[in-house]
Amino acid sequence: MTESGTAVAMAAVQFQRGDASAAAELLGPVLAAEPDNVRALVLMTHAQLALKKPEPAYRAAHQAVLVAPESAEALGALSRAYTGLDRHDEAVQVAQRAAQLEPENGYRHNRVAWALLGDGRRGVEAEHAARLAVQLDPNEADFRITYAMVMKQLHYTDRARQALRDALALEPDNAVAQHELATLDVVHRNPFALGRLARGASGLAGALRADPRQQASRFMLDVALRRFLVYTAVLLAILAYVGWRMTEFSVGGARVLAGLAALAPIAFAAYFVARLDRSLRAYLMSVLTQGRQRIAAIGATLCLLLLLSATVAPAGWLPWQLGVAAVGGFAVRLLTVSASNAHVRAAGVNVAPDRVSVVLWWVVIGCVVAAILLEIGATDTAWWLSVAAVLLVLAAVVCLVVLVRRRRARRGNLRGIRS
């Protein structure tokens, strides 16, 4: 083997080990001496893409195609570079050209599927390409993962889940499949499916054990734990609010609801934590004691103490105790979401701050607080205070509806998957 061939082989080994930077350093001198070395150019393309540098990746891939225009491997690398530059139409065209040159090669059709996924508007075509790749090589786990991602984009969650299970049956330690399967459990919208959320957190921990470099798994693990904390805060706030309303009709009923508002979140949390392994429980404690989340945890503890004391406190204290606990629960929820957003930014995820939603949430809390204060001061002669409280509650409901619609619109706009 020549000296350049040895260097390329060593670069390929480094790249397979996950060290794209070392691979690029080894390939630099090779390409300086042999600028038309197609194998080195293709490998450099993949290394630069792994380093999040699409421009040098494109230059390497483009040079490879100029040297070998009929090389399906070079065309596949160029397609990946186009996807990295968000030039999706060109990525699809080049990938399809590579698939025409090697129609029996599953990797070429797999690249077509990813190029179509990146476009975000051609899910059905992507499904055909991904299915063809699986048919050509049923024992390749990566093709099953691609098919799962297509199903996920098409909102066929059950099919995506099954494809990921098939991938794990082929490669039980595949960190990508573990991550994606766990993510499906984390992103579900049922706040009472705690078993599924805990399963997702455990799956993400497993993906991290399989590949400690998986920063996406670590990020989603924090998202899963913070989602659980948000659900707990909302449950506390709602039950405390219902208890506060109950004080007008039955002191005994209000005491029962105060106890329920304290014990239900505790039981909710215990059910979730019991389904985590020891290392995840320790990690959850570390999440609770960091930054804004620590303030939220202290606030939640104070709310629980208020609710527990309300079960034995004098009847005259109940309205303000339950009212403060309800407002505190909503504040804890906001602090937890704020901490989660800070975590997103710290992870380097480019998410523009949604200031409108933040303002709307504070309007909701302000309306609820004002409604509680007005209702406490309402009497038979000051009936207009009750009317004002009702109007404030209606305004809070309208804001919540707007928030839900904005969230759905944001989810609809999230498209574009890269590989």
Side-chain angles (χ1 to χ4, degrees):
M1 184 179 291
T2 63
E3 185 177 345
S4 61
T6 302
V8 173
M10 290 175 61
V13 170
Q14 292 293 340
F15 184 75
Q16 289 296 324
R17 289 176 178 172
D19 194 346
S21 180
E25 289 179 7
L26 287 168
L27 292 168
V30 174
L31 290 174
E34 302 178 20
D36 293 341
N37 188 319
V38 175
R39 187 181 174 206
L41 287 166
V42 169
L43 188 53
M44 178 63 89
T45 301
H46 298 312
Q48 294 293 346
L49 286 172
L51 294 171
K52 311 296 184 185
K53 297 179 179 178
E55 290 288 350
Y58 168 74
R59 289 194 294 270
H62 187 260
Q63 178 63 20
V65 172
L66 289 177
V67 175
E70 298 303 314
S71 169
E73 188 176 13
L75 290 168
L78 181 59
S79 175
R80 286 199 68 208
Y82 276 134
T83 298
L85 293 169
D86 292 328
R87 294 165 61 175
H88 299 299
D89 290 338
E90 292 162 291
V92 172
Q93 292 172 5
V94 173
Q96 289 173 337
R97 183 177 161 198
Q100 290 169 357
L101 291 171
E102 295 183 0
E104 299 301 318
N105 189 325
Y107 288 95
R108 306 302 166 225
H109 298 284
N110 189 63
R111 171 86 282 271
V112 172
W114 277 107
L116 290 164
L117 273 173
D119 181 82
R121 298 166 298 177
R122 303 167 69 175
V124 175
E125 294 176 68
E127 190 274 337
H128 292 325
R131 180 154 42 85
L132 180 55
V134 172
Q135 290 171 351
L136 289 170
D137 191 351
N139 296 319
E140 177 54 61
D142 286 347
F143 298 168
R144 304 276 181 172
I145 295 171
T146 302
Y147 188 80
M149 300 309 295
V150 175
M151 291 297 100
K152 183 178 176 181
Q153 190 179 74
L154 293 173
H155 305 294
Y156 292 122
T157 306
D158 290 339
R159 293 187 186 180
R161 201 183 301 274
Q162 185 57 52
L164 291 168
R165 291 195 186 105
D166 292 341
L168 287 171
L170 294 168
E171 293 183 13
D173 295 328
N174 190 303
V176 175
Q178 290 179 3
H179 168 82
E180 293 297 340
L181 185 58
T183 299
L184 289 176
D185 287 328
V186 169
V187 299
H188 71 91
R189 294 292 169 181
N190 183 356
F192 299 104
L194 287 181
R196 185 186 300 176
L197 187 60
R199 185 177 66 202
S202 298
L204 290 166
L208 274 173
R209 284 191 289 270
D211 183 1
R213 299 185 304 269
Q214 275 269 32
Q215 291 303 313
S217 294
R218 190 178 303 279
F219 169 74
M220 284 305 300
L221 178 58
D222 280 4
V223 169
L225 296 178
R226 284 189 167 90
R227 177 160 290 184
F228 148 71
L229 296 172
V230 168
Y231 290 159
T232 305
V234 169
L235 180 62
L236 183 152
I238 291 175
L239 290 174
Y241 175 78
V242 174
W244 171 73
R245 296 294 301 176
M246 181 64 72
T247 57
E248 300 179 7
F249 312 107
S250 169
V251 172
R255 291 189 193 279
V256 170
L257 280 170
L260 185 62
L263 295 177
I266 293 174
F268 189 82
Y271 181 88
F272 177 77
V273 172
R275 279 153 179 76
L276 302 178
D277 59 34
R278 183 175 299 178
S279 62
L280 274 179
R281 292 172 194 168
Y283 191 70
L284 175 60
M285 289 304 298
S286 71
V287 171
L288 283 169
T289 56
Q290 292 177 359
R292 300 175 192 174
Q293 195 61 62
R294 176 169 43 193
I295 300 173
I298 294 172
T301 302
L302 293 175
C303 289
L304 288 173
L305 291 175
L306 270 176
L307 292 168
L308 290 172
S309 65
T311 59
V312 294
W317 293 14
L318 287 178
W320 73 262
Q321 284 181 309
L322 290 166
V324 170
V327 173
F330 281 113
V332 167
R333 187 263 180 206
L334 274 181
L335 279 171
T336 301
V337 172
S338 176
S340 181
N341 290 340
H343 167 67
V344 170
R345 290 190 291 272
V349 180
N350 186 21
V351 178
D354 189 355
R355 302 188 188 280
V356 175
S357 293
V358 171
V359 170
L360 287 173
W361 272 114
W362 280 112
V363 170
V364 169
I365 289 181
C367 288
V368 171
V369 171
I372 290 173
L373 294 175
L374 289 174
E375 196 63 28
I376 289 174
T379 61
D380 291 339
T381 56
W383 55 268
W384 57 273
L385 291 176
S386 294
V387 175
V390 171
L391 291 175
L392 286 169
V393 171
L394 288 175
V397 170
V398 170
C399 289
L400 287 171
V401 171
V402 174
L403 282 164
V404 170
R405 291 177 65 88
R406 285 176 62 81
R407 175 172 292 183
R408 289 178 178 173
R410 284 200 304 273
R411 287 207 303 270
N413 289 332
L414 288 176
R415 69 182 186 186
I417 303 173
R418 297 182 182 182
S419 173

